[in-house]
Amino acid sequence: MRDMAGSREGAAIVPSVARAARILELLASAPEGMTLSEVARALGLPPSSALAICTTLRQAGLAHRTPERRYMLGPGILALAERYTRGGLPALFMRACRDALPDARETVVLAVREWHEVVYLAQRPGNRPLAVNYHLGMRLPAHTTASGKAALSTVSDAEVREIYSLPSSSGVDVDLLIEDLRKTRDRGYAIDDEETAPGMVCLGVPITVPGASTTTAAVAVSLVKSTVDDEVLSEYVGVMRALAETLSTDPSPAE
Amino acid sequence: MRDMAGSREGAAIVPSVARAARILELLASAPEGMTLSEVARALGLPPSSALAICTTLRQAGLAHRTPERRYMLGPGILALAERYTRGGLPALFMRACRDALPDARETVVLAVREWHEVVYLAQRPGNRPLAVNYHLGMRLPAHTTASGKAALSTVSDAEVREIYSLPSSSGVDVDLLIEDLRKTRDRGYAIDDEETAPGMVCLGVPITVPGASTTTAAVAVSLVKSTVDDEVLSEYVGVMRALAETLSTDPSPAE
């Protein structure tokens, strides 16, 4: 227990692990990498302690050191992310749907944004006659889908411009998209108003990560536009927010 | 320095950070999540220590705890991965090409596998007249490209079958692919023999991560088939292996 400290709520946290996580976040925001002294300074640590944590992260594949001795995120991050989107997140989503949405009328989906597209990872299909059916692994443009706009709304305007500067994303009016994302941020949820299919309205809410400046996952529900009034809208916004909250990381120390 | 221990080569590592990384790997391999006692048992730790590390990882967004108190990877992993593929990895690749490939004859690319596709993240274009030109962000099927096959060769046969069970990947002969991936593993590099373009041969090598069972990134070079004999082939295999090694995580403790 020697390297643990009590937190506000009485649960123990491990300072060196918290520092390691902070270093990963720092490296994520430094595409050119950071020197050991930059890392040490940012964390207010002696260089020897920063070196020990960075070395441990490198051994685990989570950090990389260039020949010029700059630290960057390591490829182990990719391997973890692939497992996360193929295993844990869809399983969590299906369980949360079972618990939180006993009324299975409308189709609810889980998607991750990849560049300017969204990939559907899981769906809880609706049981009403006109319910939409998504194919898992299906890709749609992020800028016209509720889940895509929800995920993009957590990204800075500059990053949106960068994403849409790719040749494969040409033809998108970035100014219009940025305007839409601002409204999305203000409202707290994204709307796809017949942009994917005529007569269909979708609501999307991003899955948030404390401490991360961007998130790449979102949940969305598809509704028949003619059935949606203010009351229905606000009911589903509430449901989707609750679902996103269940899937977001709970930062409370607990037990 | 109190929670550090010396490693074989004299560089300090931090045991609690190494344990945290090991927990992330464990959670990655448990799509249904793990209880605290399962985590503690796997690491040979007292439950109180496992709880403290898991709580710290949760606070950082890297782990998630379900209402049934099962631990899973958290959404912070996705945010880190997005930064990794948009920042650090392409920058490292461009620098490694500058240093390791002064002769810029052939086009060399960096790609990540996403499901059954590869996305091109960076290219060092070749300067010979017939050199291939990739678009960044371009997607190609993983099962016919050198980078895709290289990345898939690090995945188990069962996982390959799972990836190709997606509706969006239909039409692929999985048995043939698995046979090709076995040859790829034996050779240590992947070949795309005119599968992407007539007259073009590509060699791909996966980027490896110590401790991770799969990798999702690879480097590949495109050659004109008529110019390739055994000598050219073995020269480029060597070059691509060296490049992949530079981009892979070096697990040596150093300084």
Side-chain angles (χ1 to χ4, degrees), chain A residues 198-250:
Chain A
M200 186 167 87
V201 174
C202 300
L203 306 179
V205 177
I207 293 172
T208 57
V209 185
S213 60
T214 65
T215 175
T216 56
V219 288
V221 61
S222 307
L223 307 166
V224 176
K225 187 168 181 174
S226 57
T227 66
V228 178
D229 57 19
D230 282 357
E231 200 184 333
V232 171
L233 187 74
S234 86
E235 181 199 333
Y236 274 102
V237 167
V239 167
M240 297 316 289
R241 280 190 175 147
L243 188 58
E245 201 171 312
T246 306
L247 298 177
S248 298
T249 298
D250 168 15

Side-chain angles (χ1 to χ4, degrees), chain A residues 1-4 7-8 11-21 24-25 28-32 36 48-53 55-89 91-92 95 99 112-117 119-121 135-139 155 159 162-163 166-168 207-210 212-217 245-255, chain B residues 1-4 7-8 11-21 24-25 28-32 36 48-53 55-89 91-92 95 99 112-117 119-121 135-139 155 159 162-163 166-168 207-210 212-217 245-255:
Chain A
M1 294 290 285
R2 119 193 102 74
D3 58 354
M4 290 172 198
S7 77
R8 282 154 307 168
I13 63 151
V14 186
S16 56
V17 173
R19 281 180 209 123
L24 291 178
E25 260 179 52
S29 63
E32 293 299 309
L36 190 64
S48 59
S49 311
L51 171 62
I53 297 178
T55 301
T56 314
L57 289 172
R58 276 173 67 209
Q59 287 186 313
L62 300 174
H64 181 95
R65 194 182 61 176
T66 70
E68 302 84 30
R69 295 174 182 258
R70 299 183 72 82
Y71 288 88
M72 305 179 128
L73 289 181
I77 297 293
L78 272 187
L80 289 179
E82 229 234 351
R83 295 312 184 94
Y84 177 67
T85 51
R86 291 192 60 75
L89 192 56
L92 278 177
R95 195 174 317 155
D99 298 347
V112 289
R113 180 179 68 80
E114 287 178 353
W115 308 77
H116 55 283
E117 293 181 314
V119 183
Y120 293 91
L121 298 186
H135 297 287
L136 301 193
M138 180 172 78
R139 293 178 180 279
V155 156
E159 266 186 278
E162 200 194 326
I163 292 165
L166 289 174
S168 51
I207 293 172
T208 57
V209 185
S213 60
T214 65
T215 175
T216 56
E245 201 171 312
T246 306
L247 298 177
S248 298
T249 298
D250 168 15
S252 71
E255 257 28 357
Chain B
M1 297 290 286
R2 121 192 101 75
D3 58 354
M4 290 172 199
S7 78
R8 283 154 305 166
I13 65 151
V14 187
S16 56
V17 173
R19 280 178 209 125
L24 291 177
E25 259 178 54
S29 63
E32 294 298 309
L36 190 64
S48 59
S49 312
L51 172 62
I53 297 177
T55 301
T56 314
L57 289 172
R58 277 174 64 209
Q59 285 186 317
L62 300 175
H64 180 95
R65 193 183 60 178
T66 69
E68 303 84 29
R69 296 173 181 259
R70 297 182 75 79
Y71 288 88
M72 303 179 130
L73 289 180
I77 297 294
L78 273 186
L80 289 179
E82 229 233 350
R83 296 312 185 93
Y84 176 68
T85 51
R86 290 191 61 73
L89 192 56
L92 278 178
R95 193 173 319 151
D99 297 347
V112 289
R113 181 179 67 81
E114 288 179 351
W115 308 77
H116 55 284
E117 293 181 315
V119 184
Y120 293 90
L121 297 186
H135 298 288
L136 300 192
M138 181 173 78
R139 290 177 183 279
V155 155
E159 267 186 278
E162 200 195 325
I163 292 164
L166 288 173
S168 51
I207 294 171
T208 57
V209 185
S213 60
T214 65
T215 176
T216 56
E245 200 171 314
T246 307
L247 298 176
S248 298
T249 298
D250 168 16
S252 72
E255 243 45 342

Side-chain angles (χ1 to χ4, degrees), chain B:
Chain B
M1 297 290 286
R2 121 192 101 75
D3 58 354
M4 290 172 199
S7 78
R8 283 154 305 166
E9 283 175 58
I13 65 151
V14 187
S16 56
V17 173
R19 280 178 209 125
R22 180 84 190 97
I23 289 176
L24 291 177
E25 259 178 54
L26 275 175
L27 299 183
S29 63
E32 294 298 309
M34 290 176 86
T35 63
L36 190 64
S37 29
E38 286 168 345
V39 171
R41 205 174 316 126
L43 268 76
L45 280 180
S48 59
S49 312
L51 172 62
I53 297 177
C54 285
T55 301
T56 314
L57 289 172
R58 277 174 64 209
Q59 285 186 317
L62 300 175
H64 180 95
R65 193 183 60 178
T66 69
E68 303 84 29
R69 296 173 181 259
R70 297 182 75 79
Y71 288 88
M72 303 179 130
L73 289 180
I77 297 294
L78 273 186
L80 289 179
E82 229 233 350
R83 296 312 185 93
Y84 176 68
T85 51
R86 290 191 61 73
L89 192 56
L92 278 178
F93 170 82
M94 294 311 283
R95 193 173 319 151
C97 283
R98 228 166 20 236
D99 297 347
L101 304 166
D103 160 24
R105 222 157 16 114
E106 310 293 349
T107 300
V108 182
V109 292
L110 169 72
V112 289
R113 181 179 67 81
E114 288 179 351
W115 308 77
H116 55 284
E117 293 181 315
V118 282
V119 184
Y120 293 90
L121 297 186
Q123 80 162 325
R124 203 288 318 270
N127 59 15
R128 63 171 172 75
L130 246 171
V132 196
N133 200 11
Y134 289 82
H135 298 288
L136 300 192
M138 181 173 78
R139 290 177 183 279
L140 285 178
H143 73 288
T144 57
T145 49
S147 52
K149 289 194 236 188
L152 282 171
S153 73
T154 67
V155 155
S156 73
D157 290 356
E159 267 186 278
V160 172
R161 290 194 188 280
E162 200 195 325
I163 292 164
Y164 285 90
S165 68
L166 288 173
S168 51
S169 70
S170 63
V172 174
D173 185 330
V174 183
D175 293 316
L176 221 59
L177 173 60
I178 285 175
E179 185 52 39
D180 191 347
L181 296 177
R182 281 182 189 155
K183 284 184 203 152
T184 301
R185 259 172 237 127
D186 290 344
R187 264 193 314 252
Y189 60 93
I191 300 182
D192 155 13
D193 187 0
E194 302 195 287
E195 292 163 75
T196 298
M200 186 167 87
V201 174
C202 300
L203 306 178
V205 178
I207 294 171
T208 57
V209 185
S213 60
T214 65
T215 176
T216 56
V219 289
V221 61
S222 306
L223 306 166
V224 177
K225 187 167 181 175
S226 58
T227 67
V228 179
D229 56 20
D230 282 357
E231 199 185 335
V232 171
L233 187 76
S234 86
E235 181 200 333
Y236 273 103
V237 166
V239 167
M240 297 317 287
R241 280 191 176 147
L243 187 57
E245 200 171 314
T246 307
L247 298 176
S248 298
T249 298
D250 168 16
S252 72
E255 243 45 342

